Amino acid sequence: MSNIIYIGYEFKVSPLQPAVEILIAELGYAGFESFVETENGVTAYIQKVEWYSTVLDEIQILNSDEFEIDFTFNEIEQTNWNAEWEKNFNPIVVDNRCAVRAPFHDKFDTEFDIVIEPKMSFGTGHHETTHMMIQHILNNDFTNKSVLDMGCGTAVLAILSEMKGAGKIDAIDIDNWCYLNSLENVERNNCKHISVYEGDASLLENKSYDIIIANINRNILLRDMAIYVSCLNQGGVLFLSGFYNDDIPLIKDECEKHLLKFAEKLERNNWVSLKFLN
C-alpha cells in the first residue's frame, strides 16, 4: 500500500457525538476507507483514484442543523501505512486474561493470546467498546454456543469466542476492508469455526444463534434490533455496545419491546456495554 496516494479530510465537529459516528458511517458509504477520531472530530482518508470534487455532496449530516461541522482537505504524501500503524499500535491486555497484539509484539503470559493486524479496520481492543465486549466474552460461557459477531471489524471478538469454546461462529461486516481483514485475522489465529461475510443484517434471514455480539452504533442497533431478536434462540444472550450512557434508555426500551431482559451493564469512559437475555 506504500505507493497509494490518499486525500485526507480533517473534520471539526461540535458536538462530537453522535455526529462523529454518523459522519464516519456516511463517509464509508462514499468511499472513504480509514478514519482516525481526534479531540475535535475525525480525520478521514480516501484513495486519490477514488476521489472526486463532489464526493461530499451526498453526506447528509453536513447539512444538519444539529451539528456544526467544518473541514479542510489535502493530498497526503506517499506513506507506508503499515509502518505508521506498527509505530502507533500498542498491545493491550484485558483483565490479565486476554492479550490483543500484533505479530511483531512479544507473546504475553495470558490465558488467551490474539494476534491481529488491524491496519485500517476497527477493533484492536483499544476502543472502550471492544474492550468491554472482550470482558463480556471472558466472563460468560461460550462452550459449544453458536455465535454472531455483527459489525466484526477485525473479527477479534469472533476469534476470542472460538478460543472460549464456541461452536459455529458467523462474523459479518458491511465494510469491504473489514471483511478482508477479518479473513486474514481468522486465518492468522488458526480459527476453524468462523465464517466471515460481507454485508448487513439482511444476511441474517433464517439464521439462529445462542449468542449475538453487536458492537456497532446506536442508530443501527435500534434499526436492526428486531432482526437480531428474531435470530436469537430461546435462552440466548445479546451483548450490545457502541453507544453512550445517555443512550441506555433508548436501547433498553427497544430491547424490552422485544421481551429481552436486561442483565448487566459495563461502563468505560462514558461508553457502555449491555447484556440482555432472551
Side-chain angles (χ1 to χ4, degrees):
M1 292 184 61
S2 58
N3 294 324
I4 297 175
I5 299 175
Y6 283 83
I7 304 293
Y9 280 75
E10 185 174 337
F11 293 92
K12 292 185 177 179
V13 182
S14 179
L16 285 174
Q17 295 296 350
V20 167
E21 289 182 10
I22 299 169
L23 179 59
I24 289 174
E26 292 190 4
L27 290 171
Y29 280 114
F32 286 77
E33 65 179 48
S34 64
F35 309 90
V36 178
E37 293 192 38
T38 64
E39 290 183 3
N40 300 317
V42 63
T43 303
Y45 299 94
I46 185 172
Q47 289 189 31
K48 187 176 180 180
V49 295
E50 301 289 335
W51 180 85
Y52 49 97
S53 60
T54 57
V55 69
L56 297 186
D57 282 4
E58 300 302 317
I59 308 303
Q60 298 179 13
I61 193 171
L62 296 180
N63 302 316
S64 171
D65 294 331
E66 296 181 52
F67 311 104
E68 184 177 333
I69 304 177
D70 299 312
F71 65 88
T72 58
F73 68 95
N74 63 291
E75 184 174 309
I76 307 298
E77 292 184 10
Q78 292 189 12
T79 303
N80 186 328
W81 291 98
N82 289 342
E84 286 294 307
W85 168 74
E86 290 183 8
K87 185 173 66 179
N88 292 296
F89 176 48
N90 297 313
I92 67 156
V93 177
V94 178
D95 295 349
N96 295 314
R97 293 184 63 194
C98 177
V100 182
R101 63 182 178 89
F104 51 84
H105 292 137
D106 292 334
K107 186 175 181 178
F108 285 80
D109 184 21
T110 52
E111 184 179 357
F112 303 102
D113 180 55
I114 301 176
V115 181
I116 63 170
E117 288 203 44
K119 297 178 182 175
M120 294 182 187
S121 304
F122 298 97
T124 61
H126 290 75
H127 194 277
E128 285 84 349
T129 59
T130 312
H131 192 284
M132 289 183 291
M133 285 299 213
I134 289 174
Q135 289 181 301
H136 276 309
I137 297 172
L138 291 173
N139 295 330
N140 286 270
D141 181 17
F142 276 63
T143 307
N144 297 322
K145 304 291 188 182
S146 55
V147 177
L148 168 65
D149 180 5
M150 195 70 200
C152 60
T154 59
V156 63
L157 301 178
I159 292 165
L160 180 57
S161 296
E162 175 161 331
M163 291 179 174
K164 282 276 293 179
K168 185 182 185 309
I169 305 162
D170 288 342
I172 299 176
D173 203 292
I174 197 169
D175 182 81
N176 179 255
W177 190 278
C178 293
Y179 164 72
L180 296 174
N181 191 223
S182 291
L183 289 173
E184 294 175 0
N185 290 325
V186 165
E187 182 177 357
R188 183 173 286 111
N189 288 273
N190 300 311
C191 294
K192 308 300 182 189
H193 306 297
I194 300 173
S195 300
V196 182
Y197 301 96
E198 181 179 354
D200 58 16
S202 64
L203 296 177
L204 300 178
E205 189 173 354
N206 299 321
K207 299 271 192 177
S208 62
Y209 304 95
D210 300 315
I211 297 173
I212 295 178
I213 302 165
N215 182 17
I216 312 179
N217 68 55
R218 183 195 71 179
N219 295 336
I220 294 177
L221 291 175
L222 293 172
R223 183 192 71 195
D224 292 340
M225 188 66 67
I227 300 175
Y228 302 152
V229 174
S230 71
C231 297
L232 191 61
N233 292 333
Q234 190 61 39
V237 183
L238 175 65
F239 296 106
L240 302 173
S241 197
F243 50 91
Y244 295 95
N245 239 322
D246 293 345
D247 299 318
I248 289 178
L250 280 172
I251 297 290
K252 286 185 73 171
D253 285 349
E254 187 64 24
C255 288
E256 290 168 357
K257 185 193 303 181
H258 296 286
L259 305 181
L260 297 177
K261 300 178 183 66
F262 172 72
E264 186 181 3
K265 167 192 168 184
L266 299 180
E267 181 175 352
R268 190 174 173 87
N269 296 329
N270 201 40
W271 292 90
V272 292
S273 181
L274 305 180
K275 174 183 178 181
F276 290 89
L277 306 177
N278 192 18

